[in-house]
């Protein structure tokens, strides 16, 4: 059953070829057997999963229709789940049990999806390799010595190894697209405001966005159809109609104008990755698309701008975790100051502390104009570059990452080198645009991702472009050895 896609599992359930209980037990058995090696899950919710599967079987027996009724999935451990541990992969929240569901969790639950557990991640979503989790690093099923990408690395590893057919993730600077690229998955980051952020523990509020990690664009469309839409509980949610993502998947690409981003193919890109991406572009040309070279001159400034804006917002968002209002509290403090200092020092990991200190510095009196205000101006220039590009083309394409998955531990002592993994993805978050990563080949046995970027709220177009490509290629159907 773990070979079937989300769509095929839904069809099998409705045709009574297997029950939701059987499905849940099958995947829970795989998690029990394979997760100790991968470390993809922080919490496995077997008991509640079986209860939800039983309820799904009753809905199906009553004749209820629904693409997701009874299908299993995992949630990144950044989404609050009622009565279940939500840690954000941090010691600071290692005993936090949320009293409510995030909107994403609630909507997928109402649609009948069965949650099997909470996926590992970089601590508070800060990282590009899934090595900063307090629960230990996640391993890439394509090569256990390599990282799966971050920060949704647990979600990606779980889907790639067929421990679950689909998972949710979040993307602040590339945290869905990068792990998707490094594990041969389809990762979708919707437009800012398309999916509610209510109940999603904030890292950088103007950049965070919930999305999907699946094996195909078709599966991503099924999930997004339930997750998207206005939420009055989220002040940044946008009240705009949600298209029929599944119904629009098969539109022909004849006449599609693809902008090939000049800045993505310059210095720093691995030669083999460039070759695979250009081969994918040729597939699109054969399908009737027109390729146009496009330049976004301010895009090279996206990494420095991102690493001012994101830490500034994280320093503000994480100030609530002080051992008094929320989070870990140290033992036997001598006074209030000691309680604050030791609780935060013990609760946060090194990368989180680094970003809090950077953010506090760039927001401080005397430095605000020089760093934060200037970064926001650069952000505006980058967004204007994208807007000009989309006046000429329908979508933009390029690589998702500059290199394939790298060995665990090789970049963890050099934060600047690690931050450069975001070079092709962070600009999209600064502009609030939707983007995807789809598998487009392999280099020395490791997956390579093609990034597709669209204008605001063009998720249907992106899914269509990805789906038609996946009908022509088989890269997304490969399974890592040992997880067949």
């Amino acid at each position: 059953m773990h070979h079937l896609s989300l769509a095929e599992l839904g069809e099998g359930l409705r045709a009574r070829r297997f029950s939701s209980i059987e499905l849940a037990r099958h995947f829970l058995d795989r998690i029990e057997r394979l997760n100790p090696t991968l470390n993809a899950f922080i919490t496995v919710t077997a008991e509640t999963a079986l209860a939800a599967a039983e309820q799904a079987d009753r809905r199906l027996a009553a004749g209820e229709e629904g693409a997701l009724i009874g299908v299993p999935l995992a949630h990144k451990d950044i989404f609050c789940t009622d009565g279940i541990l939500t840690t954000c992969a941090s010691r600071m929240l290692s005993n936090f049990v949320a009293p409510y569901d995030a909107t994403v969790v609630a909507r997928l639950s109402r649609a009948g999806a069965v949650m099997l557990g909470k996926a590992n991640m970089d601590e508070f979503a800060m990282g590009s390799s899934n090595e900063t989790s307090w629960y230990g690093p996640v391993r890439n099923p394509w090569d256990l010595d390599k990282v799966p990408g971050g920060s949704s690395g647990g979600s990606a590893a779980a889907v790639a190894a067929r421990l679950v057919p689909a998972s949710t993730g979040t993307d602040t600077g590339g945290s869905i697209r990068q792990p998707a690229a490094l594990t041969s998955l389809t990762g979708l980051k919707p437009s800012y405001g398309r999916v509610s952020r209510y109940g999603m523990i904030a890292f950088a509020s103007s950049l965070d966005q919930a999305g999907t990690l699946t094996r195909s664009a078709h599966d991503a469309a099924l999930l997004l159809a339930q997750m998207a839409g206005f939420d009055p509980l989220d002040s940044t949610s946008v009240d705009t109609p949600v298209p029929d993502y599944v119904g629009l998947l098969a539109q022909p690409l004849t006449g599609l104008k693809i902008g090939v981003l000049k800045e993505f193919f310059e210095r720093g890109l691995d030669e083999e990755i460039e070759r695979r991406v250009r081969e994918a572009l040729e597939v699109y040309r054969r399908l009737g698309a027109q390729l146009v070279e496009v330049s976004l001159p301010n895009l090279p400034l996206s990494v420095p701008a991102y690493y001012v804006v994101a830490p500034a917002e994280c320093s503000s968002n994480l100030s609530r975790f002080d051992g008094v209002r929320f989070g870990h509290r140290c033992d036997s403090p001598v006074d209030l100051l000691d309680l604050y200092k030791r609780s935060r020092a013990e609760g946060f990991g090194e990368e989180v502390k680094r970003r809090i200190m950077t953010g506090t510095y760039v927001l401080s009196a005397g430095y605000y104009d020089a760093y934060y205000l200037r970064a926001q101006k650069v952000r505006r220039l980058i967004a204007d570059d994208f807007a000009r590009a989309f006046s000429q083309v329908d979508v933009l394409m390029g690589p998702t990452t500059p290199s394939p998955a790298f060995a665990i531990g090789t970049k963890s002592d050099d934060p600047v080198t690690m931050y450069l993994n975001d070079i092709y993805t962070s600009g999209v978050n600064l502009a609030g645009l939707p983007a995807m990563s789809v598998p487009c080949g392999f280099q020395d046995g490791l997956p390579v991702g093609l990034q597709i970027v669209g204008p605001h709220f063009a998720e249907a177009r992106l899914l269509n472009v990805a789906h038609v490509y996946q009908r022509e290629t088989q890269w997304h159907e490969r399974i890592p050895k040992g997880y067949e």
Side-chain angles (χ1 to χ4, degrees):
M1 287 187 276
H2 56 274
H3 292 296
L4 301 177
S5 68
L6 198 63
E8 291 166 336
L9 289 172
E11 289 171 10
L13 284 164
R14 292 189 293 278
R16 309 291 193 272
R17 288 197 289 275
F18 41 79
S19 69
S20 182
I21 284 277
E22 290 172 326
L23 206 53
R25 285 186 174 137
H26 175 79
F27 281 104
L28 286 168
D29 286 345
R30 282 184 68 80
I31 291 171
E32 185 177 5
R33 186 159 47 87
L34 300 171
N35 187 57
T37 304
L38 294 169
N39 197 27
F41 282 88
I42 290 174
T43 304
V44 179
T45 54
E47 194 174 323
T48 55
L50 292 173
E54 194 176 339
Q55 187 180 5
D57 281 335
R58 285 198 293 272
R59 290 172 65 175
L60 289 164
E64 192 173 340
E65 293 288 337
L68 298 185
I69 297 178
V71 297
L73 51 74
H75 287 297
K76 185 175 180 177
D77 204 22
I78 199 169
F79 292 100
C80 287
T81 41
D82 187 6
I84 295 169
L85 203 61
T86 299
T87 71
C88 241
S90 176
R91 186 185 183 191
M92 182 60 82
L93 291 179
S94 58
N95 62 355
F96 172 58
V97 177
Y100 66 100
D101 279 334
T103 295
V104 164
V105 173
R107 287 183 175 181
L108 288 171
S109 179
R110 277 200 299 273
V114 175
M115 183 184 76
L116 299 188
K118 308 288 291 291
N120 204 347
M121 53 182 282
D122 276 311
E123 185 180 7
F124 283 103
M126 298 179 198
S128 303
S129 62
N130 217 136
E131 294 174 282
T132 69
S133 168
W134 193 61
Y135 298 88
V138 176
R139 295 182 179 274
N140 190 327
W142 291 94
D143 182 339
L144 295 175
D145 293 328
K146 301 287 196 300
V147 303
S151 65
S152 306
S155 297
V159 178
R162 275 54 175 173
L163 304 187
V164 284
S167 181
T168 57
T170 61
D171 193 315
T172 305
S175 290
I176 286 175
R177 289 160 286 157
Q178 288 176 30
L182 302 191
T183 59
S184 197
L185 293 181
T186 300
L188 169 64
K189 175 233 173 263
S191 307
Y192 185 77
R194 172 58 91 187
V195 176
S196 172
R197 295 187 305 110
Y198 178 75
M200 197 174 94
I201 295 173
F203 158 21
S205 302
S206 75
L207 302 165
D208 298 336
Q209 182 61 101
T212 61
L213 283 147
T214 57
R215 284 156 47 192
S216 70
H218 189 177
D219 285 357
L222 287 171
L223 276 188
L224 186 64
Q226 301 300 327
M227 294 164 60
F230 177 66
D231 180 9
L233 298 174
D234 176 6
S235 62
T236 62
S237 175
V238 177
D239 191 1
T240 186
V242 177
D244 178 4
Y245 296 122
V246 178
L248 296 170
L249 280 174
Q251 293 181 99
L253 301 187
T254 307
L256 179 79
K257 280 191 176 179
I258 297 174
V260 181
L261 279 171
K262 174 174 170 283
E263 286 75 14
F264 279 12
F265 293 93
E266 294 179 338
R267 189 165 52 91
L269 177 62
D270 184 285
E271 287 182 8
E272 284 299 314
I273 288 194
E274 178 175 354
R275 186 170 298 127
R276 301 290 171 262
V277 170
R278 291 201 183 277
E279 287 169 356
L281 293 171
E282 284 307 310
V283 173
Y284 280 106
R285 193 198 297 275
R286 289 201 300 276
L287 289 167
Q290 179 185 352
L291 306 185
V292 181
E293 185 176 271
V294 173
S295 175
L296 277 65
N298 294 296
L299 201 58
L301 300 174
S302 58
V303 169
Y306 174 83
Y307 278 99
V308 171
V309 173
E313 294 186 12
C314 105
S315 72
S316 174
N317 278 324
L318 269 59
S319 64
R320 77 192 71 174
F321 302 117
D322 55 10
V324 177
R325 291 169 294 177
F326 300 103
H328 166 80
R329 178 176 295 185
C330 67
D331 290 332
S332 308
V334 294
D335 55 26
L336 186 61
L337 184 60
D338 181 50
L339 184 147
Y340 283 141
K341 289 169 69 175
R342 281 205 290 124
S343 295
R344 286 171 68 82
E346 294 170 5
F348 291 131
E350 291 305 310
E351 181 60 28
V352 174
K353 289 176 190 170
R354 183 181 294 119
R355 297 197 192 196
I356 289 173
M357 291 177 72
T358 302
T360 305
Y361 177 77
V362 301
L363 289 176
S364 59
Y367 297 101
Y368 179 92
D369 288 355
Y371 294 101
Y372 186 71
L373 186 60
R374 183 172 294 184
Q376 291 289 23
K377 288 178 179 177
V378 170
R379 182 179 190 173
R380 180 73 262 169
L381 293 174
I382 291 169
D384 289 346
D385 278 356
F386 275 112
R388 273 191 295 275
F390 286 123
S391 68
Q392 304 169 49
V393 299
D394 299 305
V395 295
L396 298 167
M397 289 193 187
T400 308
T401 59
S403 67
F406 50 88
I408 291 172
T410 52
K411 296 185 181 183
S412 49
D413 292 333
D414 185 350
V416 175
T417 303
M418 185 73 84
Y419 295 167
L420 288 175
N421 287 301
D422 301 343
I423 194 164
Y424 302 138
T425 52
S426 55
V428 166
N429 298 74
L430 290 168
L433 300 169
M436 293 183 74
S437 180
V438 295
C440 70
F442 286 80
Q443 177 190 345
D444 298 329
L446 294 172
V448 175
L450 168 73
Q451 186 174 200
I452 312 169
V453 185
H456 290 105
F457 303 107
E459 289 82 7
R461 192 52 155 164
L462 294 187
L463 289 163
N464 160 233
V465 169
H467 176 71
V468 174
Y469 175 76
Q470 290 180 339
R471 285 195 315 195
E472 297 293 317
T473 60
Q474 284 77 47
W475 302 119
H476 64 292
E477 295 176 357
R478 291 198 181 184
I479 304 173
K481 192 176 178 183
Y483 298 94
E484 297 91 345

